[in-house]
Coordinates of all heavy atoms in Angstrom, one line a residue:
M88 N -110.4 124.3 -142.2 CA -109.2 123.6 -141.8 C -108.9 122.4 -142.7 O -109.8 121.7 -143.1 CB -109.3 123.1 -140.4 CG -109.1 124.1 -139.3 SD -107.4 124.1 -139.1 CE -107.3 124.9 -137.6
K89 N -107.7 122.2 -143.0 CA -107.3 121.1 -143.9 C -107.0 119.9 -143.0 O -106.3 120.0 -142.0 CB -106.0 121.5 -144.7 CG -105.6 120.5 -145.7 CD -104.5 121.0 -146.5 CE -104.0 120.0 -147.5 NZ -102.8 120.4 -148.2
D90 N -107.6 118.8 -143.4 CA -107.3 117.5 -142.6 C -106.0 117.0 -143.0 O -105.5 117.0 -144.1 CB -108.4 116.5 -143.0 CG -109.8 116.9 -142.4 OD1 -109.8 117.6 -141.5 OD2 -110.8 116.4 -142.9
I91 N -105.3 116.4 -142.0 CA -104.0 115.7 -142.2 C -104.3 114.2 -142.2 O -104.9 113.7 -141.3 CB -103.1 116.1 -141.0 CG1 -102.8 117.6 -141.0 CG2 -101.8 115.3 -141.2 CD1 -101.9 118.0 -139.9
V92 N -103.9 113.6 -143.3 CA -104.1 112.2 -143.5 C -102.7 111.5 -143.4 O -101.8 111.8 -144.2 CB -104.8 111.9 -144.8 CG1 -105.0 110.4 -145.0 CG2 -106.1 112.6 -144.9
I93 N -102.6 110.5 -142.5 CA -101.4 109.7 -142.4 C -101.7 108.3 -143.0 O -102.6 107.6 -142.4 CB -100.9 109.6 -141.0 CG1 -100.6 111.0 -140.4 CG2 -99.7 108.8 -140.9 CD1 -100.3 111.0 -139.0
T94 N -101.1 108.0 -144.1 CA -101.4 106.7 -144.7 C -100.7 105.6 -144.0 O -99.7 105.8 -143.3 CB -100.9 106.7 -146.2 OG1 -99.5 106.9 -146.2 CG2 -101.5 107.9 -147.0
P95 N -101.2 104.4 -144.2 CA -100.6 103.2 -143.6 C -99.2 103.0 -144.0 O -98.3 102.5 -143.3 CB -101.5 102.0 -144.0 CG -102.8 102.6 -144.3 CD -102.5 104.0 -144.8
K96 N -98.9 103.4 -145.3 CA -97.5 103.3 -145.8 C -96.6 104.2 -145.0 O -95.4 103.8 -144.7 CB -97.5 103.7 -147.3 CG -96.1 103.5 -147.9 CD -96.2 103.9 -149.4 CE -94.9 103.8 -150.0 NZ -94.9 104.2 -151.4
Q97 N -97.0 105.4 -144.7 CA -96.2 106.3 -143.9 C -96.0 105.8 -142.5 O -94.9 106.0 -141.9 CB -96.8 107.7 -143.8 CG -96.8 108.5 -145.2 CD -97.6 109.7 -145.1 OE1 -98.7 109.7 -144.5 NE2 -97.2 110.7 -145.8
I98 N -97.0 105.2 -141.9 CA -96.9 104.7 -140.5 C -95.9 103.6 -140.5 O -95.0 103.5 -139.6 CB -98.3 104.2 -140.0 CG1 -99.2 105.4 -139.8 CG2 -98.2 103.4 -138.7 CD1 -100.6 105.1 -139.5
K99 N -95.9 102.7 -141.5 CA -95.0 101.5 -141.6 C -93.6 102.1 -141.7 O -92.6 101.5 -141.1 CB -95.4 100.6 -142.7 CG -96.6 99.8 -142.5 CD -96.9 98.9 -143.7 CE -98.2 98.2 -143.4 NZ -98.6 97.3 -144.6
K100 N -93.4 103.1 -142.5 CA -92.1 103.7 -142.8 C -91.5 104.2 -141.5 O -90.4 104.0 -141.1 CB -92.1 104.8 -143.8 CG -90.8 105.4 -144.1 CD -91.0 106.5 -145.2 CE -89.7 107.3 -145.4 NZ -89.9 108.4 -146.3
E101 N -92.3 105.0 -140.7 CA -91.9 105.6 -139.4 C -91.6 104.5 -138.4 O -90.6 104.6 -137.6 CB -92.9 106.6 -138.9 CG -93.0 107.8 -139.8 CD -91.7 108.5 -140.0 OE1 -91.0 108.7 -139.0 OE2 -91.5 108.9 -141.1
L102 N -92.4 103.4 -138.4 CA -92.2 102.3 -137.4 C -90.9 101.6 -137.8 O -90.1 101.2 -136.9 CB -93.3 101.4 -137.4 CG -94.6 101.8 -136.7 CD1 -95.7 100.8 -136.8 CD2 -94.3 102.1 -135.2
L103 N -90.6 101.5 -139.1 CA -89.3 100.9 -139.5 C -88.1 101.7 -139.1 O -87.1 101.2 -138.6 CB -89.3 100.6 -141.0 CG -88.1 100.0 -141.6 CD1 -88.0 98.6 -141.1 CD2 -88.1 100.0 -143.1
V104 N -88.2 103.0 -139.2 CA -87.2 103.9 -138.8 C -86.9 103.8 -137.3 O -85.8 103.7 -136.8 CB -87.5 105.4 -139.2 CG1 -86.5 106.3 -138.6 CG2 -87.5 105.5 -140.7
L105 N -88.0 103.8 -136.5 CA -87.9 103.6 -135.1 C -87.3 102.3 -134.7 O -86.5 102.2 -133.8 CB -89.3 103.8 -134.4 CG -89.3 103.8 -132.9 CD1 -88.5 104.9 -132.3 CD2 -90.8 103.9 -132.4
L106 N -87.7 101.2 -135.4 CA -87.1 99.9 -135.2 C -85.6 99.9 -135.4 O -84.8 99.3 -134.7 CB -87.8 98.8 -136.0 CG -87.3 97.4 -135.9 CD1 -87.5 96.9 -134.5 CD2 -87.9 96.5 -136.9
V107 N -85.2 100.5 -136.5 CA -83.8 100.6 -136.9 C -83.0 101.4 -135.7 O -81.9 101.0 -135.3 CB -83.5 101.3 -138.2 CG1 -82.1 101.6 -138.5 CG2 -84.0 100.4 -139.3
C108 N -83.6 102.5 -135.2 CA -83.0 103.2 -134.1 C -82.9 102.3 -132.9 O -81.8 102.4 -132.2 CB -83.8 104.4 -133.8 SG -83.8 105.7 -135.1
F109 N -83.9 101.5 -132.6 CA -83.8 100.6 -131.4 C -82.7 99.6 -131.6 O -82.0 99.3 -130.7 CB -85.2 100.0 -131.2 CG -85.2 99.0 -130.0 CD1 -85.2 99.5 -128.7 CD2 -85.1 97.7 -130.2 CE1 -85.2 98.7 -127.6 CE2 -85.0 96.8 -129.1 CZ -85.1 97.3 -127.8
V110 N -82.7 99.0 -132.8 CA -81.6 98.0 -133.0 C -80.2 98.6 -132.9 O -79.3 98.0 -132.3 CB -81.9 97.3 -134.4 CG1 -80.7 96.4 -134.8 CG2 -83.1 96.5 -134.4
L111 N -80.1 99.8 -133.5 CA -78.8 100.5 -133.4 C -78.4 100.8 -132.0 O -77.2 100.5 -131.6 CB -78.8 101.7 -134.2 CG -77.5 102.5 -134.3 CD1 -76.4 101.7 -135.0 CD2 -77.8 103.9 -135.0
S112 N -79.3 101.2 -131.2 CA -79.0 101.5 -129.8 C -78.8 100.2 -129.0 O -77.9 100.2 -128.0 CB -80.0 102.4 -129.1 OG -81.3 101.8 -129.2
F113 N -79.4 99.2 -129.3 CA -79.2 97.9 -128.7 C -77.8 97.4 -129.0 O -77.1 96.8 -128.1 CB -80.3 96.9 -129.2 CG -80.3 95.6 -128.3 CD1 -81.0 95.6 -127.1 CD2 -79.8 94.4 -128.7 CE1 -81.1 94.5 -126.3 CE2 -79.8 93.3 -128.0 CZ -80.5 93.3 -126.8
I114 N -77.4 97.5 -130.3 CA -76.0 97.1 -130.6 C -75.0 98.0 -129.9 O -74.0 97.5 -129.5 CB -75.9 97.2 -132.2 CG1 -76.7 96.2 -132.9 CG2 -74.4 97.1 -132.6 CD1 -76.8 96.3 -134.4
I115 N -75.3 99.3 -129.8 CA -74.4 100.1 -129.0 C -74.2 99.6 -127.6 O -73.1 99.6 -127.0 CB -74.8 101.6 -129.0 CG1 -74.7 102.2 -130.4 CG2 -74.1 102.5 -128.0 CD1 -75.4 103.5 -130.6
N116 N -75.3 99.2 -127.0 CA -75.3 98.7 -125.6 C -74.5 97.4 -125.5 O -73.7 97.2 -124.6 CB -76.7 98.4 -125.1 CG -76.8 98.0 -123.7 OD1 -76.0 98.4 -122.9 ND2 -77.8 97.2 -123.4
I117 N -74.6 96.5 -126.5 CA -73.8 95.3 -126.5 C -72.3 95.6 -126.7 O -71.5 95.0 -126.0 CB -74.3 94.3 -127.6 CG1 -75.7 93.8 -127.2 CG2 -73.3 93.2 -127.9 CD1 -76.4 93.0 -128.3
V118 N -72.0 96.5 -127.6 CA -70.6 96.9 -127.8 C -70.0 97.5 -126.5 O -68.9 97.2 -126.1 CB -70.5 97.9 -128.9 CG1 -69.1 98.6 -128.9 CG2 -70.8 97.3 -130.2
A119 N -70.8 98.3 -125.7 CA -70.4 98.9 -124.5 C -70.1 97.8 -123.4 O -69.2 97.8 -122.7 CB -71.4 99.9 -123.9
I120 N -71.0 96.8 -123.4 CA -70.8 95.6 -122.5 C -69.5 94.9 -122.8 O -68.7 94.5 -121.9 CB -72.0 94.7 -122.6 CG1 -73.2 95.4 -121.9 CG2 -71.7 93.4 -121.9 CD1 -74.5 94.6 -122.2
V121 N -69.2 94.7 -124.1 CA -68.0 94.0 -124.5 C -66.8 94.8 -124.2 O -65.8 94.3 -123.6 CB -68.0 93.6 -126.0 CG1 -66.7 93.1 -126.5 CG2 -69.1 92.6 -126.2
V122 N -66.8 96.1 -124.5 CA -65.6 97.0 -124.3 C -65.3 97.1 -122.8 O -64.1 97.1 -122.4 CB -65.9 98.4 -125.0 CG1 -64.8 99.4 -124.5 CG2 -65.9 98.2 -126.5
Y123 N -66.3 97.4 -122.0 CA -66.1 97.6 -120.6 C -66.1 96.3 -119.8 O -65.9 96.3 -118.6 CB -67.1 98.6 -120.0 CG -66.9 100.0 -120.6 CD1 -67.8 100.5 -121.5 CD2 -65.8 100.7 -120.3 CE1 -67.6 101.8 -122.0 CE2 -65.6 102.0 -120.8 CZ -66.5 102.5 -121.7 OH -66.3 103.7 -122.2
K124 N -66.3 95.1 -120.4 CA -66.2 93.8 -119.8 C -67.1 93.7 -118.6 O -66.7 93.3 -117.5 CB -64.8 93.5 -119.5 CG -63.9 93.4 -120.7 CD -62.4 93.1 -120.3 CE -61.6 93.0 -121.5 NZ -60.6 94.0 -121.6
T125 N -68.4 94.1 -118.8 CA -69.3 94.1 -117.7 C -70.2 92.8 -117.8 O -70.1 92.1 -118.8 CB -70.2 95.3 -117.6 OG1 -70.9 95.5 -118.8 CG2 -69.4 96.6 -117.4
S126 N -71.1 92.6 -116.9 CA -72.0 91.5 -116.9 C -73.0 91.6 -118.0 O -73.5 92.6 -118.3 CB -72.7 91.4 -115.5 OG -73.7 90.4 -115.6
W127 N -73.3 90.4 -118.6 CA -74.3 90.4 -119.7 C -75.7 90.6 -119.2 O -76.6 90.8 -120.0 CB -74.2 89.0 -120.4 CG -73.0 89.0 -121.4 CD1 -71.8 88.5 -121.1 CD2 -72.9 89.6 -122.7 NE1 -70.9 88.8 -122.2 CE2 -71.6 89.4 -123.1 CE3 -73.8 90.3 -123.4 CZ2 -71.2 89.9 -124.4 CZ3 -73.4 90.8 -124.7 CH2 -72.1 90.6 -125.1
I128 N -75.9 90.6 -117.9 CA -77.3 90.9 -117.4 C -77.7 92.3 -117.7 O -78.8 92.7 -117.8 CB -77.4 90.6 -115.9 CG1 -78.8 90.6 -115.4 CG2 -76.6 91.6 -115.1 CD1 -79.6 89.4 -115.9
E129 N -76.6 93.2 -118.0 CA -76.9 94.6 -118.4 C -77.7 94.7 -119.7 O -78.2 95.8 -119.9 CB -75.6 95.4 -118.4 CG -75.1 95.5 -117.0 CD -74.0 96.6 -116.9 OE1 -73.9 97.5 -117.8 OE2 -73.1 96.5 -116.0
V130 N -77.7 93.7 -120.5 CA -78.4 93.7 -121.7 C -79.9 94.0 -121.4 O -80.6 94.7 -122.1 CB -78.3 92.4 -122.6 CG1 -79.3 92.4 -123.7 CG2 -76.9 92.3 -123.1
F131 N -80.4 93.3 -120.3 CA -81.8 93.5 -119.9 C -82.0 94.6 -118.9 O -83.0 95.3 -118.9 CB -82.3 92.1 -119.3 CG -82.1 91.0 -120.3 CD1 -81.2 90.0 -120.1 CD2 -83.0 90.9 -121.4 CE1 -81.1 89.0 -121.0 CE2 -82.8 89.9 -122.3 CZ -81.9 88.9 -122.1
S132 N -81.0 94.8 -118.0 CA -81.2 95.8 -117.0 C -81.1 97.2 -117.5 O -81.6 98.1 -116.9 CB -80.2 95.6 -115.8 OG -78.9 95.8 -116.3
Q133 N -80.4 97.4 -118.6 CA -80.2 98.7 -119.2 C -81.2 99.0 -120.3 O -81.0 100.0 -121.1 CB -78.8 98.9 -119.6 CG -77.8 98.7 -118.6 CD -77.9 99.7 -117.4 OE1 -78.2 100.9 -117.7 NE2 -77.7 99.3 -116.2
I134 N -82.3 98.3 -120.4 CA -83.2 98.4 -121.6 C -83.9 99.8 -121.5 O -84.2 100.4 -122.6 CB -84.2 97.3 -121.6 CG1 -84.9 97.2 -123.0 CG2 -85.3 97.4 -120.5 CD1 -84.1 96.7 -124.0
G135 N -84.0 100.4 -120.4 CA -84.6 101.7 -120.3 C -83.7 102.8 -121.0 O -84.2 103.6 -121.7
Y136 N -82.4 102.6 -120.8 CA -81.5 103.5 -121.5 C -81.5 103.3 -123.0 O -81.4 104.2 -123.7 CB -80.1 103.4 -120.9 CG -79.9 103.8 -119.5 CD1 -79.6 102.9 -118.5 CD2 -80.1 105.2 -119.1 CE1 -79.5 103.4 -117.1 CE2 -80.0 105.6 -117.8 CZ -79.7 104.7 -116.8 OH -79.6 105.1 -115.6
V137 N -81.6 102.1 -123.3 CA -81.7 101.7 -124.8 C -82.9 102.4 -125.4 O -82.8 102.9 -126.5 CB -81.7 100.2 -125.0 CG1 -81.9 99.8 -126.4 CG2 -80.4 99.6 -124.5
I138 N -84.0 102.3 -124.7 CA -85.2 103.0 -125.3 C -85.1 104.5 -125.4 O -85.4 105.1 -126.4 CB -86.4 102.6 -124.4 CG1 -86.7 101.1 -124.6 CG2 -87.7 103.4 -124.8 CD1 -87.8 100.5 -123.7
I139 N -84.5 105.1 -124.4 CA -84.3 106.5 -124.4 C -83.3 106.9 -125.5 O -83.6 107.9 -126.3 CB -83.7 107.0 -123.0 CG1 -84.8 106.9 -122.0 CG2 -83.2 108.5 -123.1 CD1 -84.4 107.2 -120.6
I140 N -82.2 106.2 -125.7 CA -81.3 106.4 -126.8 C -82.0 106.2 -128.1 O -81.8 107.0 -129.1 CB -80.0 105.5 -126.7 CG1 -79.2 105.9 -125.4 CG2 -79.2 105.6 -127.9 CD1 -78.1 105.0 -125.1
S141 N -82.9 105.3 -128.2 CA -83.6 105.0 -129.5 C -84.5 106.2 -129.8 O -84.5 106.7 -131.0 CB -84.5 103.8 -129.3 OG -83.8 102.7 -129.1
V142 N -85.2 106.8 -128.8 CA -86.0 107.9 -129.1 C -85.2 109.1 -129.5 O -85.6 109.9 -130.4 CB -86.9 108.2 -127.8 CG1 -87.6 109.5 -127.9 CG2 -87.9 107.1 -127.6
V143 N -84.1 109.3 -128.8 CA -83.2 110.5 -129.1 C -82.7 110.3 -130.6 O -82.7 111.3 -131.3 CB -82.0 110.6 -128.1 CG1 -81.0 111.6 -128.6 CG2 -82.6 111.0 -126.8
L144 N -82.2 109.1 -130.9 CA -81.8 108.9 -132.3 C -82.9 109.2 -133.3 O -82.7 109.7 -134.4 CB -81.3 107.5 -132.5 CG -79.9 107.2 -132.0 CD1 -79.6 105.7 -132.1 CD2 -78.9 107.9 -132.7
Y145 N -84.1 108.7 -133.0 CA -85.3 108.9 -133.9 C -85.6 110.4 -134.0 O -85.8 110.9 -135.2 CB -86.5 108.2 -133.3 CG -87.7 108.4 -134.1 CD1 -87.9 107.7 -135.3 CD2 -88.7 109.3 -133.8 CE1 -89.0 107.8 -136.1 CE2 -89.9 109.4 -134.6 CZ -90.0 108.7 -135.7 OH -91.1 108.9 -136.5
I146 N -85.5 111.2 -133.0 CA -85.7 112.6 -133.1 C -84.6 113.3 -133.9 O -84.9 114.1 -134.8 CB -85.8 113.2 -131.7 CG1 -87.0 112.8 -130.9 CG2 -85.7 114.8 -131.7 CD1 -87.1 113.1 -129.5
L147 N -83.4 112.9 -133.7 CA -82.3 113.4 -134.5 C -82.4 113.1 -136.0 O -82.2 114.0 -136.9 CB -80.9 113.0 -134.0 CG -80.5 113.5 -132.6 CD1 -79.2 112.8 -132.2 CD2 -80.3 115.0 -132.7
I148 N -82.8 111.9 -136.3 CA -83.0 111.5 -137.7 C -84.2 112.2 -138.3 O -84.1 112.6 -139.4 CB -83.1 109.9 -137.8 CG1 -81.8 109.2 -137.5 CG2 -83.7 109.5 -139.1 CD1 -81.9 107.7 -137.4
S149 N -85.2 112.4 -137.5 CA -86.4 113.1 -138.0 C -86.0 114.6 -138.3 O -86.5 115.2 -139.3 CB -87.5 113.1 -136.9 OG -87.9 111.8 -136.8
L150 N -85.2 115.2 -137.5 CA -84.8 116.6 -137.7 C -83.9 116.7 -139.0 O -84.1 117.6 -139.8 CB -83.9 117.1 -136.5 CG -84.7 117.5 -135.3 CD1 -83.8 117.8 -134.2 CD2 -85.7 118.6 -135.5
V151 N -83.0 115.7 -139.2 CA -82.2 115.7 -140.4 C -83.1 115.5 -141.6 O -83.0 116.2 -142.7 CB -81.2 114.6 -140.4 CG1 -80.5 114.4 -141.7 CG2 -80.1 114.9 -139.3
R152 N -84.1 114.6 -141.5 CA -85.0 114.3 -142.6 C -85.9 115.6 -142.9 O -86.1 115.9 -144.1 CB -86.0 113.2 -142.3 CG -85.2 111.8 -142.3 CD -86.0 110.7 -141.7 NE -87.3 110.5 -142.4 CZ -88.3 109.9 -141.9 NH1 -88.2 109.3 -140.7 NH2 -89.4 109.7 -142.5
L153 N -86.3 116.3 -141.9 CA -87.0 117.5 -142.1 C -86.2 118.6 -142.8 O -86.7 119.3 -143.7 CB -87.5 118.0 -140.7 CG -88.5 119.2 -140.7 CD1 -89.8 118.9 -141.4 CD2 -88.7 119.7 -139.3
I154 N -85.0 118.8 -142.4 CA -84.1 119.7 -143.0 C -83.8 119.4 -144.5 O -83.9 120.3 -145.3 CB -82.8 119.9 -142.2 CG1 -83.0 120.5 -140.8 CG2 -81.7 120.6 -143.0 CD1 -81.8 120.4 -139.9
V155 N -83.6 118.1 -144.7 CA -83.4 117.7 -146.1 C -84.6 117.9 -147.0 O -84.5 118.4 -148.1 CB -82.9 116.2 -146.2 CG1 -82.9 115.7 -147.6 CG2 -81.5 116.1 -145.6
S156 N -85.8 117.6 -146.4 CA -87.0 117.8 -147.1 C -87.2 119.3 -147.4 O -87.7 119.7 -148.5 CB -88.2 117.3 -146.3 OG -89.4 117.6 -146.8
G157 N -86.9 120.2 -146.4 CA -87.1 121.6 -146.6 C -86.2 122.1 -147.7 O -86.5 123.0 -148.5
I158 N -84.9 121.7 -147.7 CA -84.0 122.1 -148.7 C -84.4 121.6 -150.1 O -84.3 122.4 -151.1 CB -82.6 121.6 -148.4 CG1 -82.0 122.3 -147.2 CG2 -81.6 121.7 -149.6 CD1 -80.7 121.7 -146.6
K159 N -84.9 120.4 -150.2 CA -85.5 119.9 -151.5 C -86.6 120.8 -152.0 O -86.7 121.1 -153.2 CB -85.9 118.4 -151.4 CG -84.8 117.4 -151.4 CD -85.3 116.0 -151.3 CE -84.3 115.0 -151.3 NZ -84.8 113.6 -151.3
K160 N -87.5 121.1 -151.1 CA -88.7 121.9 -151.5 C -88.2 123.3 -151.9 O -88.8 124.0 -152.8 CB -89.7 122.0 -150.4 CG -90.5 120.8 -150.2 CD -91.6 120.9 -149.2 CE -92.4 119.6 -149.1 NZ -93.5 119.7 -148.1
L161 N -87.2 123.9 -151.2 CA -86.7 125.2 -151.5 C -86.1 125.2 -153.0 O -86.4 126.1 -153.7 CB -85.6 125.6 -150.5 CG -85.0 127.0 -150.7 CD1 -86.0 128.0 -150.4 CD2 -83.8 127.1 -149.8
F162 N -85.3 124.2 -153.3 CA -84.7 124.2 -154.7 C -85.7 123.7 -155.7 O -85.6 124.1 -156.9 CB -83.5 123.2 -154.7 CG -82.3 123.8 -154.0 CD1 -81.8 123.2 -152.9 CD2 -81.7 125.0 -154.5 CE1 -80.7 123.8 -152.3 CE2 -80.6 125.6 -153.9 CZ -80.1 124.9 -152.8
K163 N -86.8 123.0 -155.3 CA -87.8 122.6 -156.3 C -88.7 123.7 -156.7 O -89.1 123.8 -157.8 CB -88.6 121.4 -155.7 CG -89.6 120.8 -156.6 CD -90.4 119.7 -155.9 CE -91.4 119.1 -156.9 NZ -92.1 118.0 -156.2
S164 N -88.9 124.7 -155.8 CA -89.8 125.8 -156.1 C -89.2 126.8 -157.0 O -89.9 127.6 -157.7 CB -90.2 126.5 -154.8 OG -89.0 127.1 -154.2
K165 N -87.8 126.8 -157.1 CA -87.2 127.7 -158.1 C -87.1 127.1 -159.4 O -87.4 127.0 -160.4 CB -85.7 128.0 -157.6 CG -85.7 128.8 -156.4 CD -84.3 129.1 -156.0 CE -84.2 129.9 -154.8 NZ -82.8 130.3 -154.4

């Protein structure tokens, strides 16, 4: 069996991508509060939804990165 090694550089890169997803979903939450003119307490009370949206965004971005990586390897092998 071949061992899989995850370098600290790769871990930092993935954590940065996850942080960007969290910040983006937090901004989406703030925009929704402003647009619908609701209470600012929802910034804290809706944090669960923000985390779920962050994870969904991270998964979608990971799928796109995986597809792009696969296409690059496909054309690189020829």
Side-chain angles (χ1 to χ4, degrees):
M88 280 277 198
K89 186 177 179 181
D90 290 338
I91 297 175
V92 178
I93 301 174
T94 63
K96 184 179 177 182
Q97 290 171 324
I98 293 173
K99 287 180 185 177
K100 180 180 174 185
E101 294 303 317
L102 286 175
L103 181 65
V104 171
L105 185 59
L106 178 65
V107 168
C108 290
F109 180 79
V110 169
L111 181 63
S112 56
F113 194 79
I114 291 171
I115 291 170
N116 188 27
I117 291 175
V118 168
I120 290 170
V121 170
V122 168
Y123 293 109
K124 298 178 180 117
T125 59
S126 172
W127 282 97
I128 193 72
E129 289 193 25
V130 169
F131 302 108
S132 66
Q133 301 298 323
I134 197 72
Y136 292 115
V137 171
I138 292 172
I139 290 171
I140 292 170
S141 301
V142 171
V143 170
L144 282 174
Y145 180 77
I146 291 170
L147 291 174
I148 289 172
S149 296
L150 287 174
V151 170
R152 290 168 57 199
L153 185 64
I154 291 170
V155 169
S156 173
I158 291 172
K159 282 183 181 179
K160 285 185 181 182
L161 182 67
F162 286 117
K163 186 177 178 181
S164 65
K165 290 182 177 181

